[in-house]
Amino acid sequence: MQDEVTVKCEKQHTLKLSLSEFEEALEWDRCPKCGSKILEVEPDTFEVECVNCTWSEENDWQTISACLDQGCPRCGPELECDSPLHIIGSFYHKVAQYDACTNRIAATSLQRTSRADYWEVVIHFCEHKEFLSILKSGKIHACRTGLFGVPAVCFTETPLLLCEEIRRTHGDFGIAFQKSEIIRSGGNPAVYLQDSLIEAQKQMGGFCDDIKPFINILRIPSTAPKWSRKKKVDFLHEREWRVGDHVDPNTTKPLGLVFPEGKKFSGPYGSNLIEYAYKYDEIVER
Ligand SMILES: [Zn+2]
Ligand SMILES: [Zn+2]
Ligand SMILES: [Zn+2]
């Protein structure tokens, strides 16, 4: 169904609305611009569906308006504000359908028994825009990182319920993988070595290329060499894992997606994101 509705009101406004905006206008039963009565609507039929029980009704806009008002005849009127009844094709319907169908995995179920600080999962956290581009392109892009500045994709092994600080730094959206899946793809925990150990390895001819993506300096002021500009380099708190290449979610299978609490499909990428998020489970903070 086309996501555009033309609405004319008593005061001669002609508005072009998305199906979701139209659904809002019907709930209010007024022109969204001036608050007067809606007179004409184009197209002339709409279909609503209940995502709980799949009850649906195709009819003219006045009847559809009454349906939305009364709620699903099978499930009854919803007490909560989130009604399961929406116009098919609208963003609201897609979100409700996602929420009804997606498989949720509780983060605590992935934790080691009596070890809230440990689980068998790593997460790549990123901003909204990168998240959409990953799902769209099917590729987590490797960025230059570590001591050698070679490309790698970074993950944290911090359990989800303790990721608040990391999410503030790296972004609130995440793609989670089983550690076993990352290891199978050549991934490994990042390695932190202090200057004296890096120097010792250099004496032996240096690091081989395969290891380079994982190597980082661990430096505190009392171990910092005189020549060093940065006297403290310590990223142990990131509890980082890496893969020394792009990661393709089609071959390295994600366990699920992580969304910011209550802001899953909000913002400018929301309606685009939902088209791709479908394929994955969701890891939730409980
Ligand atoms: Zn109006
Ligand atoms: Zn229903
Ligand atoms: Zn990155």
Side-chain angles (χ1 to χ4, degrees):
M1 184 180 274
Q2 208 187 322
D3 193 13
E4 191 179 88
V5 183
T6 309
V7 170
K8 284 182 188 154
C9 80
E10 250 178 1
K11 296 208 169 137
Q12 307 298 319
H13 291 123
T14 302
L15 303 173
K16 299 238 184 258
L17 305 178
S18 72
L19 283 167
S20 288
E21 290 165 338
F22 178 60
E23 194 178 299
E24 282 169 27
L26 288 187
E27 260 160 48
W28 198 38
D29 212 6
R30 296 280 156 185
C31 166
K33 195 161 179 175
C34 69
S36 64
K37 270 181 97 176
I38 296 171
L39 287 185
E40 260 178 69
V41 172
E42 169 72 42
D44 42 22
T45 60
F46 296 90
E47 192 173 3
V48 285
E49 185 192 47
C50 169
V51 297
N52 276 349
C53 70
T54 72
W55 175 85
S56 68
E57 166 84 14
E58 190 171 356
N59 221 314
D60 59 72
W61 70 271
Q62 287 100 332
T63 311
I64 291 298
S65 180
C67 283
L68 288 169
D69 224 37
Q70 285 152 17
C72 173
R74 278 197 216 149
C75 301
E78 278 296 292
L79 296 173
E80 307 154 53
C81 50
D82 286 340
S83 165
L85 198 63
H86 295 283
I87 297 176
I88 292 180
S90 71
F91 179 57
Y92 289 146
H93 183 258
K94 287 178 190 166
V95 172
Q97 215 172 28
Y98 174 92
D99 279 336
C101 300
T102 194
N103 182 37
R104 291 182 181 81
I105 305 171
T108 46
S109 73
L110 300 161
Q111 278 168 210
R112 195 179 177 100
T113 316
S114 341
R115 284 287 304 272
D117 68 321
Y118 194 88
W119 68 341
E120 296 299 338
V121 179
V122 298
I123 306 176
H124 175 79
F125 278 111
C126 58
E127 299 294 348
H128 209 166
K129 196 175 177 182
E130 190 196 341
F131 189 66
L132 173 61
S133 115
I134 290 167
L135 297 186
K136 212 168 172 174
S137 68
K139 189 161 108 175
I140 307 179
H141 190 75
C143 329
R144 296 189 173 275
T145 188
L147 175 63
F148 296 98
V150 293
V153 172
C154 45
F155 307 85
T156 183
E157 67 164 7
T158 311
L160 182 59
L161 276 77
L162 304 171
C163 280
E164 201 195 320
E165 183 193 50
I166 288 172
R167 293 172 83 162
R168 257 185 274 128
T169 315
H170 294 272
D172 228 351
F173 291 81
I175 302 179
F177 297 86
Q178 293 277 5
K179 282 177 180 167
S180 55
E181 186 70 1
I182 292 297
I183 295 169
R184 197 186 56 75
S185 300
N188 206 80
V191 177
Y192 298 89
L193 300 173
Q194 59 171 294
D195 288 278
S196 60
L197 294 174
I198 290 169
E199 196 45 47
Q201 186 63 39
K202 279 184 183 163
Q203 296 300 322
M204 295 298 289
F207 294 85
C208 80
D209 286 346
D210 291 348
I211 288 179
K212 283 180 179 174
F214 305 100
I215 305 295
N216 304 277
I217 301 181
L218 174 60
R219 180 185 292 161
I220 55 173
S222 57
T223 65
K226 284 199 178 62
W227 52 262
S228 60
R229 270 189 293 125
K230 284 184 193 160
K231 299 298 177 196
K232 188 166 188 258
V233 185
D234 179 356
F235 287 97
L236 287 172
H237 57 276
E238 299 228 299
R239 296 180 63 180
E240 192 172 337
W241 280 55
R242 289 186 190 147
V243 170
D245 199 355
H246 304 304
V247 172
D248 177 354
N250 295 309
T251 51
T252 305
K253 207 181 165 304
L255 181 64
L257 304 180
V258 176
F259 292 97
E261 198 69 24
K263 286 190 285 184
K264 219 178 293 174
F265 301 117
S266 64
Y269 312 112
S271 53
N272 214 334
L273 201 51
I274 203 166
E275 316 283 337
Y276 303 99
Y278 253 105
K279 288 193 277 181
Y280 303 95
D281 291 348
E282 191 183 331
I283 319 277
V284 292
E285 291 182 66
R286 61 172 153 79

